[in-house]
Amino acid sequence: MTSLPPLRDRVTAPAVVEVDFPGLAARPIEEDDAPALHALERAIAAADHPNWAWTEEELRDDLGHSWVDRERDTLVVLDGATPVAYGSAVLAPVRETGVRVRLEGGVHPEWRGRGIGRRLLAWQEARGLQLLGGCTEQLPGWLAVDADERATASQRLLHRAGFDVVRYFNELQRDLAAPIPELAPPAGIRFERLTADRVEAVRQAKNEAFRDHWGSQPTPEEQWETYLGSSTTRQDLSFVALDGERVVGLLISEVNPEEWELQGARTSYIGLVGVVRDWRRRGIAPALLAAALAAYREEGLEKTSLGVDSENPTGALSLYTRMGFELTGRELAYRKTF
């Protein structure tokens, strides 16, 4: 494969990022904005993706990582002291097979139709180009943003801005009242609940298991520790598959009570299911799922859900449907590629 020129030679980055919101104030996001941003995000979630919502803790964590330059990478748009929109453009810390700038944010439903979203996306794209334009890697570069299939206004905005849909991620859900199969681990494998002493070994197994998944990059220690340390990540409902002391499979569970009202049920979310390559197709993944489903039911939960790449190379979609999961929606992955 022919090497690409350095990204800085392929990307035309603006010298200055314009901040243009007539009649409104705009500034970088500050630590004290978290409660108000959380309220804004709840309103956005109810309109665009009612199956999930950020917690205030997750917002703080996401904007508090060491690789986020909050002064330059984030923006909140205000009507007086009230946030009506926010956005970020953040360069991923690991760049093994590609260089990605993730765009996040949104506009309060009551403030849409006034050009705020268009101006916010223009700011995000300009900042993203600056970030890509400062990179020397000879790898593909992406401006990346996702949109729920129900967020039709966001989709129109992204299409008009020249972003293309490059992938679909299916959202699946399972009723925990339905029968749960009893599946034992394959011979030589034992399952244990996730404990603090295995956090690093599980990170390494996750990185190995997802190495051939589309768009996946290795998860750095800081991000992994934040994720597993979050109040919504339930290590006691998460499982590891062990070959001796080697972690060869993992299932990470999340429970966010703030989503229960949105979803109308006591739900959990399966954040990750992975098996390292040399142990795939031996029954580890379905057995991990069965163990987790039984644990969720025992916890008093009513439904569980997960997201999966529609073109997952391991055949995960068919596995989940065999385990009783049903399609409930789709997430669209938009990209500009350089």
Side-chain angles (χ1 to χ4, degrees):
M1 181 177 178
T2 304
S3 295
L4 294 168
L7 259 171
R8 66 185 179 191
D9 296 339
R10 288 179 276 136
V11 174
T12 302
V16 177
V17 178
E18 297 291 339
V19 179
D20 177 26
F21 297 92
L24 298 169
R27 59 165 172 76
I29 294 173
E30 300 172 356
E31 181 71 24
D32 293 342
D33 291 326
L37 285 182
H38 180 231
L40 171 60
E41 251 300 324
R42 286 299 298 266
I44 293 171
D48 291 349
H49 44 78
N51 57 314
W52 66 272
W54 293 99
T55 65
E56 182 178 326
E57 176 192 21
E58 288 170 324
L59 284 168
R60 289 182 186 274
D61 288 345
D62 208 46
L63 296 173
H65 284 128
S66 61
W67 53 86
V68 179
D69 180 349
R70 194 179 299 177
E71 186 68 24
R72 302 180 68 195
D73 296 347
T74 72
L75 195 73
V76 58
V77 183
L78 303 135
D79 175 36
T82 303
V84 299
Y86 82 101
S88 63
V90 176
L91 180 65
V94 178
R95 304 185 279 276
E96 186 174 277
T97 59
V99 182
R100 182 178 64 196
V101 174
R102 168 69 63 182
L103 311 183
E104 300 275 8
V107 180
H108 193 290
E110 295 178 3
W111 283 82
R112 294 176 182 176
R114 311 185 196 192
I116 297 172
R118 174 174 51 80
R119 289 182 168 90
L120 181 64
L121 182 59
W123 174 87
Q124 290 175 297
E125 183 171 354
R127 177 58 186 149
L129 291 173
Q130 284 188 332
L131 290 165
L132 290 177
C135 294
T136 60
E137 285 89 352
Q138 295 176 270
L139 295 169
W142 306 296
L143 296 180
V145 58
D146 298 334
D148 191 283
E149 67 176 354
R150 289 162 288 197
T152 54
S154 296
Q155 293 174 45
R156 288 194 298 270
L157 179 65
L158 290 165
H159 281 299
R160 286 197 298 265
F163 285 80
D164 297 317
V165 177
V166 295
R167 207 80 166 190
Y168 295 91
F169 288 82
N170 294 315
E171 295 293 329
L172 307 175
Q173 190 173 75
R174 190 192 198 278
D175 191 331
L176 294 171
I180 298 171
E182 295 183 10
L183 300 175
I189 296 296
R190 71 183 191 279
F191 289 172
E192 292 184 4
R193 304 283 178 124
L194 176 59
T195 53
D197 60 311
R198 295 196 190 278
V199 165
E200 175 56 19
V202 174
R203 182 183 75 90
Q204 294 179 15
K206 178 268 173 191
N207 287 343
E208 181 181 350
F210 283 81
R211 192 170 298 278
D212 56 354
H213 287 50
W214 179 83
S216 180
Q217 302 292 312
T219 302
E221 289 184 41
E222 178 184 335
Q223 188 175 18
W224 188 247
E225 290 171 2
T226 299
Y227 173 51
L228 290 190
S230 168
S231 61
T232 58
T233 299
R234 290 286 300 271
Q235 294 191 30
D236 61 319
L237 295 177
S238 301
F239 292 84
V240 294
L242 298 165
D243 173 18
E245 292 304 309
R246 179 193 174 201
V247 178
V248 296
L250 60 136
L251 184 150
I252 308 298
S253 302
E254 304 170 23
V255 178
N256 178 6
E258 291 185 19
E259 295 175 342
W260 293 354
E261 182 180 352
L262 289 169
Q263 298 183 7
R266 294 169 57 87
T267 61
S268 64
Y269 186 79
I270 300 174
L272 290 169
V273 181
V275 178
V276 299
R277 294 188 200 187
D278 56 311
W279 272 98
R280 287 179 185 168
R281 305 189 188 283
R282 302 197 204 183
I284 290 179
L288 281 172
L289 283 166
L293 295 175
Y296 299 158
R297 180 188 285 176
E298 186 176 344
E299 184 76 5
L301 300 172
E302 299 167 311
K303 295 182 179 181
T304 191
S305 58
L306 53 80
V308 60
D309 184 350
S310 62
E311 300 178 42
N312 182 287
T314 66
L317 179 57
S318 61
L319 163 65
Y320 298 137
T321 54
R322 290 197 306 272
M323 292 294 291
F325 286 81
E326 298 179 347
L327 181 67
T328 57
R330 290 193 308 175
E331 191 88 2
L332 284 64
Y334 285 85
R335 299 288 186 271
K336 277 193 178 182
T337 303
F338 301 87

